Amino acid sequence: EFKGGLKSFIQYLNKNKKAIHKEPIYINGSKDDIEMELALEYNESYSENMYSFVNNINTKEGGTHLSGFKSALTRTLNDFMKRLKLGKKIQENLSGDDVREGLTAVISVKVPDPQFEGQTKAKLGNSEVKGIVESIVNEKLNLYFELHMEVIKKILEKSIMAAKARDAARRARELTR
């Protein structure tokens, strides 16, 4: 367990970085005996820091809970980009890398019967966890962003800049070749 909760853990992880929104986003939920909690915060850096846990075991290689979170985050941000009509500046949808630039996130799930891949318990393999995490994150993040439009706009601004940079780098590579 994290003393002070996931929000304070995120603040600790980001203590030397400048956050782009006031405080970490925290969501939680449960379905079919699987509990999930998630805290995330975007900062001005370009790196991504993700930490995942299953029953308080650090899953350094991620797994189905982390991939469920990543796909829900990407989908939610793309949906808001379309709804807020902010995507005119880029050709296509935001990629997973675009939406995770400058993101620090901690996801923790409680799973009654965890199936780990490998001896080190570094990766969760339960396929049902992906869908459960995905639906909780989709629902709760949507709700959060509806109530905090200024936060989603800042996050999308950063993600769109990342997409533009990726596109410019691709064009530069093509020109060089």
Side-chain angles (χ1 to χ4, degrees):
E1 293 300 303
F2 307 104
K3 282 184 176 58
L6 289 189
K7 266 176 131 173
S8 58
F9 187 45
I10 289 281
Q11 288 168 322
Y12 168 76
L13 293 169
N14 276 347
K15 67 179 184 287
N16 297 323
K17 299 180 180 89
K18 187 171 176 2
I20 68 167
H21 46 98
K22 274 194 184 86
E23 64 175 57
I25 297 166
Y26 174 81
I27 59 175
N28 65 352
S30 63
K31 186 179 175 191
D32 301 339
D33 291 332
I34 292 169
E35 295 172 40
M36 183 221 75
E37 61 175 335
L38 166 74
L40 58 104
E41 183 175 64
Y42 281 85
N43 58 65
E44 291 180 350
S45 82
Y46 302 103
S47 58
E48 160 192 336
N49 286 307
M50 306 275 246
Y51 302 88
S52 63
F53 298 85
V54 174
N55 301 347
N56 294 327
I57 297 165
N58 186 350
T59 47
K60 288 183 178 73
E61 293 170 27
T64 54
H65 55 320
L66 191 58
S67 56
F69 161 62
K70 287 177 175 180
S71 56
L73 178 71
T74 305
R75 182 181 320 124
T76 302
L77 265 65
N78 274 306
D79 289 349
F80 269 93
M81 183 178 72
K82 286 185 189 86
R83 283 198 352 227
L84 299 173
K85 295 177 174 53
L86 296 172
K88 295 182 197 94
K89 301 171 185 131
I90 57 172
Q91 307 307 314
E92 71 267 354
N93 276 341
L94 297 166
S95 74
D97 287 340
D98 298 334
V99 303
R100 292 192 308 270
E101 189 172 284
L103 171 67
T104 300
V106 180
I107 181 165
S108 176
V109 291
K110 301 275 187 272
V111 182
D113 185 28
Q115 312 291 298
F116 292 101
E117 293 176 18
Q119 292 298 303
T120 58
K121 294 188 176 181
K123 189 173 188 179
L124 181 69
N126 299 54
S127 57
E128 73 280 8
V129 175
K130 182 182 191 294
I132 289 171
V133 166
E134 214 168 323
S135 71
I136 294 171
V137 172
N138 261 326
E139 180 196 336
K140 301 283 176 112
L141 261 189
N142 264 302
L143 220 74
Y144 182 89
F145 289 144
E146 285 293 339
L147 299 170
H148 301 89
M149 278 294 167
E150 74 290 349
V151 174
I152 184 62
K153 285 178 181 166
K154 284 178 183 169
I155 292 170
L156 283 171
E157 209 173 279
K158 181 164 183 61
S159 299
I160 289 168
M161 288 299 286
K164 285 181 180 173
R166 177 175 48 85
D167 195 43
R170 182 187 48 78
R171 283 200 306 272
R173 270 194 311 277
E174 286 169 3
L175 282 172
T176 308
R177 288 184 183 136

